[in-house]
Amino acid sequence: MSVHHTQSVILTGDRITGPLHLGHYTGSLQQRVTLQHSAVQYILMADMQGLTDNGAQPEKVNRYFYDVAADYLAAGIDPARSVICLQSALPALAELTLLYLNLVTVSRLERNPTVKQEIIQKQFSRTLPAGFLIYPVSQAADITAFKADLVPVGEDQLPMIEQTNEIVSKINNITGQKLLVHCRAEVGKTGRLPGIDGKMSKSLGNAINLSVSADELTRAVNAMFTDPQHLRVSDPGRIEGNVVFAYLDAFHPDTARVAEMKARYQAGGLGDRECKTVLNECLQTLLAPIREERARLMADKPYLLSVIRSGTEKAREITQQTLDQVKRGMGLQLF
């Protein structure tokens, strides 16, 4: 049975190595909540990919299974519109990865700028896990298995899309059929959200989780990095690198008010405390309903499990269908 979509097919997902935070919310969750109304959307809980650099500590991945599921639903992902599925429960993905690996050279993987960057960051050198080096191929398997034509990603993931499309072309050339679909990246409008200390990497305690309590949120906002030179309210302050303004830009609904605050801050006459109060109010309003719904969901783990189980069953059928087509196309399925 072949499925004909007039709508876009979207694949997104997250490594489930920790609960989701505001960076995920502005970077992808908001977009997914909107897209689920106009497209066929699959959301992959990428536990296998989480193991690529946590293989010896699988508990780092499996302990956040329910957290991430609750974060999705509390943020507005509707399981009746979006298919939430678990990567490790879709064996077709692993099989496609293995097929594709024969079409990709090691030097091509090492040239992938995102992988290159992460290898340096994680200081792997010769301790590089093979699974980590090949994760762009595993991502290509994820995308092509669902025949996704639209993949919402951050700027840093564009090399993954390029590599996926190279694999699509190779398979289609080898089989002489248009079995796989080329995809395009949809880069979100918001850039990456800095941590509260102003650094881009998400180290311990520098991101604000969606599950944060009201008091923890206030503490996090008060601890945010501003302009170290802005010592008195009357001093002119800098907006660049100021985390409070980065978050106001990302989350405050009233852009005119934020623009006016920036002007006052730069001219002198607006203190950090007032800026933080405005941001705290805005984030409390945003996160209170999410926190409440999330707590309700976390108290009902059987429900969360049933959502993922039924999504995974749908996804299993679709991904298996793609695998069968590729194997037949390559002459591998004799019976």
Side-chain angles (χ1 to χ4, degrees):
M1 145 194 134
S2 68
V3 186
H4 291 287
H5 293 297
T6 45
Q7 295 170 295
S8 278
V9 178
I10 293 174
L11 178 74
T12 74
D14 302 278
R15 285 161 48 105
I16 53 172
T17 46
L20 302 186
H21 50 66
L22 280 176
H24 293 111
Y25 185 79
T26 171
S28 59
L29 286 174
Q30 266 178 315
Q31 205 181 5
R32 294 175 197 177
V33 171
T34 308
L35 288 169
Q36 67 186 347
H37 296 283
S38 57
V40 180
Q41 178 165 254
Y42 298 97
I43 300 175
L44 191 65
M45 299 179 77
D47 54 344
M48 292 297 266
Q49 202 192 317
L51 291 174
T52 55
D53 53 349
N54 293 299
Q57 300 163 292
E59 66 284 350
K60 267 180 124 171
V61 177
N62 57 41
R63 67 182 264 219
Y64 294 111
F65 173 80
Y66 288 107
D67 287 276
V68 173
D71 285 333
Y72 283 158
L73 301 186
I77 301 284
D78 176 357
R81 292 180 178 274
S82 295
V83 176
I84 302 173
C85 49
L86 186 63
Q87 192 178 31
S88 60
L90 301 171
L93 301 181
E95 230 178 303
L96 281 170
T97 303
L98 205 52
L99 282 170
Y100 297 169
L101 278 172
N102 301 310
L103 306 174
V104 178
T105 63
V106 171
S107 71
R108 175 67 184 92
L109 286 166
E110 289 174 334
R111 265 203 325 276
N112 184 315
T114 309
V115 176
K116 215 169 166 173
Q117 195 53 45
E118 290 184 7
I119 288 171
I120 295 166
Q121 261 173 8
K122 296 178 192 290
Q123 301 178 325
F124 274 144
S125 75
R126 299 306 291 164
T127 60
L128 174 66
F132 190 84
L133 179 64
I134 65 142
Y135 88 75
V137 181
S138 151
Q139 273 191 340
D142 299 340
I143 294 166
T144 56
F146 289 98
K147 303 217 166 151
D149 56 3
L150 190 63
V151 186
V153 287
E155 199 82 41
D156 61 322
Q157 294 292 305
L158 290 175
M160 301 300 172
I161 303 300
E162 193 185 325
Q163 196 146 21
T164 297
N165 285 330
E166 285 170 20
I167 290 171
V168 169
S169 298
K170 279 185 178 167
I171 291 284
N172 290 350
N173 286 338
I174 290 165
T175 61
Q177 302 169 57
K178 284 214 159 80
L179 292 182
L180 299 180
V181 177
H182 284 89
C183 62
R184 64 183 180 85
E186 170 93 26
V187 179
K189 283 177 275 298
T190 355
R192 284 183 66 194
L193 203 60
I196 64 174
D197 54 6
K199 298 192 173 71
M200 289 317 279
S201 64
K202 294 288 175 273
S203 54
L204 206 60
N206 102 1
I208 297 175
N209 291 340
L210 297 183
S211 54
V212 71
S213 74
D215 289 349
E216 287 166 341
L217 179 54
T218 302
R219 276 201 297 277
V221 171
N222 287 337
M224 274 183 185
F225 182 81
T226 55
D227 172 4
Q229 257 65 63
H230 185 241
L231 302 174
R232 284 182 297 278
V233 173
S234 54
D235 293 344
R238 278 171 61 91
I239 302 295
E240 300 74 45
N242 187 322
V243 177
V244 176
F245 281 101
Y247 278 70
L248 282 168
D249 278 337
F251 297 104
H252 204 288
D254 187 345
T255 46
R257 183 174 178 196
V258 174
E260 181 234 2
M261 285 172 67
K262 284 182 180 173
R264 273 176 62 207
Y265 192 82
Q266 285 169 310
L270 177 61
D272 287 338
R273 180 168 298 146
E274 194 185 325
C275 296
K276 288 179 175 182
T277 304
V278 173
L279 176 62
N280 189 35
E281 279 167 14
C282 142
L283 291 179
Q284 296 285 5
T285 306
L286 170 77
L287 289 175
I290 295 178
R291 179 193 310 126
E292 238 166 272
E293 178 60 5
R294 196 184 179 283
R296 197 186 63 71
L297 289 160
M298 284 299 277
D300 190 355
K301 299 227 170 71
Y303 170 70
L304 289 173
L305 196 57
S306 74
V307 165
I308 292 155
R309 183 175 278 143
S310 77
T312 302
E313 277 162 18
K314 280 184 207 144
R316 195 175 287 148
E317 206 176 311
I318 288 151
T319 54
Q320 186 61 45
Q321 197 175 307
T322 304
L323 174 64
D324 290 343
Q325 288 169 340
V326 171
K327 285 168 88 169
R328 269 199 303 277
M330 292 177 91
L332 294 171
Q333 261 185 347
L334 303 178
F335 42 80

